[in-house]
Amino acid sequence: MSRAFEPVTVGRYTARNRVVMAPMTRSRAHGPGASPTELVATYYAQRASAGLIITEGTQPSAVGQGYPNTPGLHTVEQVEAWRPVTAAVHERGGLIFAQLMHTGRIGHPDVYREDLTPVGPSPVRADGSVYTLDGPREFVVPQPLDEAGIRQTVADFASAARNAIDAGFDGVELHGANGYLLHQFLATNTNQRDDGWGGTVEGRIRFVVEVTEAVVNAIGADRVGLRISPSNPYNDIVEDDHRETYRALLDRLNPLGLAYLHVGEGPDTEFTDELRALWTGTLILNPFTPGGYTGPEALKLLETGAADLVSYGALFLANPDLPRRLQVGGPFNAPDYTRAYSGDHEGYTDYPALSPADDA
């Protein structure tokens, strides 16, 4: 049997296979409550055969929202709305972690349901624009977090993690990648602070370490994962010394005993082997696929030991029963990007599963 379909330890859990559903923004939390709907429960239940589902980015606070109609985990209403989602996945034997994503400077006041301004480590505006319900808007200069704001944001992450467990999630993934708030503190162009949360490598990793420690203290290290993306320039990120930064970060985080590290591989693919060697726990890899998406060939990363699990994004959207299709060699539905970004909120939920005859 291929290693992909062997069980593996993920924190306190045993995943039934090593195929992970990667976190992907869906924008299906409609209404003023920023809460998931019945469609969200259907969508994740269809994909419950994954060894682990990591949800779409879910904001830990109102100011952490960067896109329209994304869900939160900071109100009683949102916790209640997530319970049918987690129950639907568990009924099919799945594991599901909530990804906690604070977008920081990536957002716009028009996205919020309150009178708020995006925040960040420093007042450095991102190049580009964000989609709002009234059309695209250029990013604004974020409000730099002062010490009180940093302390509150750390507390927000811990509170959202407790809410996730209350909602039935098996754990949480902290989104420290793709140019969002945690990544902004790590990056040299977005973190221009000269206090204890900037100025040096140790200063720039401090916020990520503090958030991780707070969440570990709230729900236990074996229910916490972290996603990073070294050298990834997405959302106007520059990391002048990313190797030194992430070496220092892993050195601080290894002793915590996290459930996993999720590496969204960036252009510096040679660094991935070093990360694998440095990290003492379970490693999930989302391989670098510029201009495309992760395909069946990525399973070889498990055979070579480059990763313990592999995460799939677009291919999991188009193939709800992806582990089964990978095991029997296909067929695979091709992702339809026109539907993915057309505002069709039925999305991929109507892609069929394999019929018994397809196994022949």
Side-chain angles (χ1 to χ4, degrees):
M1 179 173 66
S2 168
R3 193 163 181 258
F5 308 105
E6 296 175 353
V8 61
T9 299
V10 179
R12 66 174 61 184
Y13 307 103
T14 299
R16 56 186 169 187
N17 60 58
R18 297 165 186 255
V19 179
V20 175
M21 179 179 174
M24 292 168 283
T25 298
R26 300 284 79 206
S27 292
R28 291 169 171 169
H30 305 295
S35 300
T37 62
E38 183 179 349
L39 174 62
V40 176
T42 300
Y43 167 75
Y44 285 118
Q46 287 175 325
R47 292 158 177 82
S49 63
L52 171 66
I53 291 173
I54 307 170
T55 72
E56 63 218 87
T58 303
Q59 53 261 14
S61 62
V63 77
Q65 182 175 3
Y67 305 101
N69 298 326
T70 55
L73 263 169
H74 54 91
T75 70
V76 172
E77 177 184 353
Q78 291 161 359
V79 171
E80 291 293 333
W82 276 113
R83 285 183 179 140
V85 179
T86 59
V89 172
H90 291 151
E91 285 170 6
R92 296 197 180 189
L95 287 172
I96 182 168
F97 276 38
Q99 188 191 66
L100 300 183
M101 180 179 80
H102 191 307
T103 60
R105 69 175 186 160
I106 301 302
H108 192 276
D110 288 358
V111 172
Y112 302 128
R113 295 168 172 83
E114 306 171 32
D115 184 16
L116 298 169
T117 299
V119 299
S122 301
V124 180
R125 189 185 76 85
D127 185 32
S129 61
V130 66
Y131 175 80
T132 75
L133 295 180
D134 296 317
R137 295 285 187 272
E138 287 193 357
F139 293 121
V140 300
V141 176
Q143 177 69 36
L145 287 166
D146 59 15
E147 181 172 349
I150 286 176
R151 299 300 184 198
Q152 183 59 57
T153 304
V154 171
D156 290 341
F157 271 98
S159 177
R162 286 189 289 267
N163 286 343
I165 300 305
D166 189 21
F169 284 102
D170 299 298
V172 301
E173 175 179 283
L174 304 176
H175 197 349
N178 294 2
Y180 299 118
L181 184 63
L182 271 66
H183 199 185
Q184 291 162 26
F185 269 88
L186 295 173
T188 48
N189 71 319
T190 48
N191 186 343
Q192 299 183 3
R193 305 174 73 99
D194 57 7
D195 62 3
W197 288 275
T200 65
V201 167
E202 285 300 321
R204 284 187 284 104
I205 69 172
R206 178 180 172 183
F207 180 68
V208 178
V209 172
E210 289 181 342
V211 168
T212 306
E213 289 177 337
V215 172
V216 164
N217 289 335
I219 65 173
D222 55 0
R223 295 197 287 198
V224 179
L226 171 69
R227 192 178 202 198
I228 59 173
S229 59
S231 78
N232 181 1
Y234 188 67
N235 279 324
D236 192 24
I237 285 291
V238 177
E239 296 180 288
D240 292 322
D241 55 358
H242 68 273
R243 291 194 175 192
E244 182 182 0
T245 298
Y246 289 94
R247 288 172 187 143
L249 180 64
L250 266 58
D251 185 60
R252 291 290 304 276
L253 296 182
N254 263 323
L256 298 181
L258 300 182
Y260 64 81
L261 179 71
H262 187 180
V263 177
E265 195 173 43
D268 184 7
T269 57
E270 294 181 358
F271 188 42
T272 304
D273 287 341
E274 183 175 344
L275 292 172
R276 173 62 163 163
L278 289 172
W279 184 247
T280 58
T282 298
L283 188 138
I284 302 172
L285 180 58
N286 187 249
F288 185 56
T289 52
Y293 54 86
T294 305
E297 68 282 353
L299 295 184
K300 67 184 179 183
L301 297 167
L302 302 172
E303 304 302 328
T304 64
D308 297 301
L309 303 95
V310 171
S311 63
Y312 286 87
L315 202 62
F316 230 131
L317 289 180
N319 298 274
D321 51 349
L322 181 60
R324 187 179 176 206
R325 291 176 185 263
L326 290 170
Q327 193 164 23
V328 301
F332 299 100
N333 300 312
D336 182 346
Y337 293 102
T338 62
R339 292 175 60 203
Y341 299 105
S342 67
D344 172 10
H345 294 293
E346 291 304 312
Y348 292 89
T349 59
D350 57 352
Y351 270 119
L354 284 174
S355 69
D358 290 319
D359 287 326

